[in-house]
């Protein structure tokens, strides 16, 4: 177990020394400033006046609810923060396995009493913790600034950390798998981004798009299989951020969460199986 | 009992698209005794690095078997007692020398309470104390090699594998490394080193093996290999040929070297003594009479070219 500890610590040290974590922090800072500006641009008092003027004309309009309004804005901010954080997270971690497997570096590590699966898990845990810490700082910063300026403290925003971190974790394990197999950070970044931006959103609405693709049984089957082996990042983020802010709206989240955890284990297992056998 | 036993080890690097398979090691067998310095000699591409990597389970054998400390090869457990200096190693440039040693000590299972003192001691041992807190990316090739040695020794291993340990090191640094290896041997460590710099190997190794194209060509003590088979040279004050006894002529062949020495190839050591006796009896002044020794390099070139002819 000490081996995993030292490899993860080394991994965090490596990430810190790279500019990419610094970039992460700078972009987090920009996100904090922008959320502050958004909060400053919202004039709740005049919105309330306008709303009440309309409500006076139309008795069907419910009374002004500042809290719900703030939650809606926060949900949008959280979605943006999530996309940004996951993007940066994948970018920051994609080169970790290729750099570890470089000739002259891997030889030293493998000559130590470290099982290969421990080395890979150390890489995973170290990079996960590093990005998780960055995401936590970003989310906390955005929330503190936004809440302080708008004057309404709604802690549910902080819960969005969970779907975001889970989304990152599954993309990280996919990135580790692909970069270990291909020994290329570029390929890993490309595949993770395509899953995140294209494939997962499409599969999430597969029932709606099937009719446009001819509605064949075979295609349906292929999509179903893909849906189960590809990270459900779209559902995790959208549905669960909605869930955080409007409880129950997205139905039962545990199914997507369970299947995401299963995928994390499967991807890591695949990466380990390959890494264990590889000649360096 | 041998501390390293290798039996018919073969490694084929699988080819791929437009890339032929390479047999880097062929039915290679070897034994290394504890407490000795063993040198594996060969040209670039002969298979030396492949051999060490197999013993450390960095690559897996195609066939054959080996054991280290009597334990079956490839297990993680015995690596605790092994140190390794890879060739062309790259330590992360963003770490300082002592940080590299910190992680390597931790991974080598040095108890955390001892890590600090081990780092200081090993930096001193290899002469890097002053560069301890400089980033590795500012190190010269020679300094990198010293750092590589320090990490290989940080956990006080029993066997030390060194792949081209003096590569890129200046002559004084090379001497220091040789002295360090001799010092380690005196402590009872076993040292296995790969090298193509034969003059250096000759100075410190107990046994050597010559490898070419993945095959073991010759193995033995440096003395055995460099001492030619019953060839003697004689230097005298005057002409000797007419004084040599007829009776012995069957048992030797003689030539005169460009250096003025008479070279005799004899059937046995006893004949050498008889020959010398005859020369002395004939009142010829003997200035030098000795068994011919070749440098390891000469032997190496001879063995390798012989193998090529076949
Ligand atoms: N990973 C590899 N894939 C394919 N061929 C390799 C690989 N590593 C080494 N070789 C080949 O195996 C042979 C032996 O290489 P090596 O063990 O590095 O030799 P040495 O250390 O004696 O210079 C060489 O022909 C080399 O090209
Ligand atoms: Mg080599």
């Amino acid at each position: 177990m000490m081996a995993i500890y030292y490899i993860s610590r080394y991994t965090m040290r490596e990430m810190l020394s790279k500019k990419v974590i610094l970039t992460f922090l700078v972009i987090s800072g920009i996100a904090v400033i922008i959320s502050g500006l958004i909060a400053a641009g919202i004039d709740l008092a005049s919105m309330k006046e306008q709303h009440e003027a309309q409500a006076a004309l139309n008795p069907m309009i419910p009374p002004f609810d500042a809290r719900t309004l703030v939650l809606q804005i926060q949900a949008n901010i959280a979605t943006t923060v999530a996309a940004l954080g996951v993007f940066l997270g994948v970018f920051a971690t994609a080169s970790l396995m290729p750099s570890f497997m470089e000739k002259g570096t891997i030889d030293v590590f493998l000559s130590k009493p470290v099982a290969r699966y421990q080395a890979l898990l150390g890489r995973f845990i170290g990079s996960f913790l590093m990005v998780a810490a960055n995401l936590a700082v970003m989310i906390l910063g955005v929330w503190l600034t936004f809440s302080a300026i708008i004057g309404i403290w709604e802690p549910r925003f902080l819960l969005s950390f969970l779907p975001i971190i889970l989304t990152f974790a599954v993309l990280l394990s996919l990135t580790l798998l692909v970069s270990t197999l291909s020994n290329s950070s570029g390929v890993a970044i490309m595949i993770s981004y395509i899953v995140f931006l294209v494939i997962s959103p499409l599969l999430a609405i597969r029932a709606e798009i099937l009719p446009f693709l001819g509605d064949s049984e075979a295609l349906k089957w292929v999509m179903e299989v893909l849906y189960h082996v590809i990270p459900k990042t779209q559902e995790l983020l959208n549905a669960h951020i909605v869930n955080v802010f409007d409880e129950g709206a997205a139905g039962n989240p545990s199914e997507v969460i369970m299947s995401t955890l299963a995928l994390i284990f499967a991807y890591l297992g695949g990466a380990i199986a390959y890494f264990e056998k590889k000649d360096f | 009992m041998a501390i390293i036993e290798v039996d018919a080890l073969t490694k084929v690097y699988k080819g791929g698209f437009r890339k032929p398979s390479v047999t880097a090691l062929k039915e290679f067998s070897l034994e290394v005794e504890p407490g000795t310095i063993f040198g594996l000699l060969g040209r670039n591409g002969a298979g030396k690095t492949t051999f060490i990597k197999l013993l450390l389970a960095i690559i897996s054998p195609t066939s054959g078997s080996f054991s280290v400390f009597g334990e079956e090869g490839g297990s993680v457990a015995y690596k605790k007692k092994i140190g390794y200096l890879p060739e062309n190693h790259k330590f992360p440039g963003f770490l300082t020398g002592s940080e590299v040693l910190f992680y390597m000590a931790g991974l080598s299972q040095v108890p955390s309470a001892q890590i600090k003192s081990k780092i200081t001691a090993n930096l001193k041992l290899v002469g890097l104390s002053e560069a301890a807190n400089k980033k590795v990316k500012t190190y010269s090739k020679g300094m990198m090699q010293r750092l590589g040695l320090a990490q290989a020794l940080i956990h006080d291993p029993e066997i030390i594998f060194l792949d081209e340990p003096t590569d890129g090191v200046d002559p004084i640094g090379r001497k220091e490394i040789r002295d360090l290896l001799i010092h380690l041997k005196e402590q009872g460590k076993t040292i296995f080193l790969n090298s193509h710099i034969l003059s250096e190997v000759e100075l410190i190794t107990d046994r050597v093996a010559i490898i070419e194209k993945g095959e073991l060509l010759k193995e033995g003590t440096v003395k055995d290999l460099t001492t030619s088979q019953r060839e003697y040279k004689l230097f005298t004050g005057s002409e000797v040929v007419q004084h040599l006894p007829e009776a012995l002529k069957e048992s030797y062949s003689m030539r005169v070297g460009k250096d003025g020495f008479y070279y005799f190839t004899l059937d046995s050591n006893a004949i050498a003594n008889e020959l010398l006796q005859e020369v002395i009896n004939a009142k010829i002044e003997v200035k030098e009479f000795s068994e011919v020794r070749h440098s390891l390099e000469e032997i190496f070139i001879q063995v390798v070219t012989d193998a090529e002819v076949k």
Side-chain angles (χ1 to χ4, degrees), chain A residues 103, chain B residues 13 19 22 24 42-51 87 163 194:
Chain A
K103 252 194 183 9
Chain B
Y13 289 109
K19 202 175 115 197
V22 179
R43 295 198 268 190
N44 287 328
K48 306 181 295 294
T49 300
T50 299
F51 181 74
E87 71 177 338
D163 202 345
N194 275 354

